[in-house]
Amino acid sequence: GDSVTQMEGPVTLSEEAFLTINCTYTATGYPSLFWYVQYPGEGLQLLLKATKADDKGSNKGFEATYRKETTSFHLEKGSVQVSDSAVYFCALSLTFRTNAGKSTFGDGTTLTVKP
Amino acid sequence: DGGITQSPKYLFRKEGQNVTLSCEQNLNHDAMYWYRQDPGQGLRLIYYSQIVNDFQKGDIAEGYSVSREKKESFPLTVTSAQKNPTAFYLCATRGYMNTEAFFGQGTRLTVV
């Protein structure tokens, strides 16, 4: 079945450090790939997405590139801020025809940024 | 405002009780999903529905039930058969023209 594996946490960084959270996937067909962010006590919010190979998703200084050859979608940010502290989920989804539009999520990576 | 409303935000259940979590959306999305989130873990799919009056079991449906009588609403009942119901429950929707899911703010259920 479809699966997403992401880097185990927690990750602790100092402000302005470089961030990488690794994510790899297995899927039948051609999935869309996502990074969601969750702040304490809240639901998930879409951070960025890519819908086909070699696409780069970007938002709020975060970036991730859809690499079909390595089945990866690593999240990066050049300079993290304290406000980036949250849990980050890598996810994939297929078409409604393929699997009812269900999403498959990684286990989440907790990021803490210290001043 | 367009969005997904989950209520209540916090819910306490006594042993042996059934409780119902509400999920309402005004995004006009056809598909709706319920996920369970436990500390330090990812999201696990409980039930999903693509159209009114139809729904399917997800990966962990035992001890839960749902209904989809209206497009806007997809309530989840946690029954007494669910032995470990304490968790954070998330409702999500997806439109056929979207690739991503949209999430509500969640309901935290605690057994007391």
Side-chain angles (χ1 to χ4, degrees):
Chain A
D2 304 328
S3 67
V4 174
T5 303
Q6 63 181 99
M7 188 170 86
E8 290 187 18
V11 174
T12 303
L13 297 172
S14 297
E15 206 164 22
E16 299 184 3
F18 185 84
L19 169 71
T20 299
I21 302 177
N22 291 337
C23 172
T24 57
Y25 68 91
T26 59
T28 54
Y30 303 96
S32 295
L33 301 175
F34 311 90
W35 279 99
Y36 291 89
V37 60
Q38 183 180 35
Y39 298 101
E42 297 185 7
L44 277 65
Q45 304 172 29
L46 179 67
L47 179 60
L48 55 83
K49 69 178 182 181
T51 58
K52 61 183 187 297
D54 300 325
D55 271 1
K56 176 185 283 188
S58 61
N59 185 27
K60 300 180 181 179
F62 291 90
E63 293 182 340
T65 301
Y66 190 140
R67 302 287 188 198
K68 185 178 178 182
E69 63 275 12
T70 55
T71 62
S72 65
F73 193 56
H74 305 320
L75 182 68
E76 296 183 338
K77 186 175 185 183
S79 176
V80 294
Q81 305 300 312
V82 172
S83 57
D84 293 328
S85 298
V87 181
Y88 293 81
F89 290 91
C90 186
L92 66 84
S93 74
L94 294 163
T95 64
F96 279 95
R97 181 181 299 179
T98 304
N99 75 340
K102 293 179 287 182
S103 300
T104 300
F105 293 87
D107 287 342
T109 301
T110 300
L111 170 66
T112 302
V113 180
K114 297 188 173 180
Chain B
D1 266 9
I4 303 164
T5 301
Q6 288 189 242
S7 61
K9 188 171 178 65
Y10 300 96
L11 186 58
F12 298 90
R13 190 193 95 167
K14 293 183 178 179
E15 297 275 356
Q17 278 185 338
N18 293 354
V19 291
T20 297
L21 284 60
S22 171
C23 178
E24 302 281 332
Q25 57 109 350
N26 61 6
L27 299 171
N28 200 34
H29 287 172
D30 288 277
M32 298 187 74
Y33 310 85
W34 273 106
Y35 293 92
R36 170 179 172 141
Q37 184 179 22
D38 293 286
Q41 297 187 29
L43 279 64
R44 293 184 288 169
L45 183 64
I46 304 172
Y47 268 97
Y48 62 100
S49 168
Q50 294 188 82
I51 56 173
V52 174
N53 293 323
D54 188 44
F55 48 83
Q56 285 77 40
K57 294 181 179 179
D59 301 318
I60 56 165
E62 184 175 353
Y64 300 97
S65 66
V66 293
S67 63
R68 186 87 186 275
E69 297 177 0
K70 300 185 302 181
K71 186 176 183 178
E72 300 79 16
S73 179
F74 191 41
L76 173 73
T77 297
V78 184
T79 75
S80 57
Q82 171 49 242
K83 297 306 178 188
N84 186 21
T86 295
F88 191 53
Y89 291 87
L90 288 161
C91 177
T93 70
R94 181 180 167 186
Y96 286 126
M97 299 304 293
N98 303 110
T99 54
E100 71 269 26
F102 295 76
F103 284 84
Q105 292 296 295
T107 293
R108 184 166 301 282
L109 172 63
T110 304
V111 174
V112 295

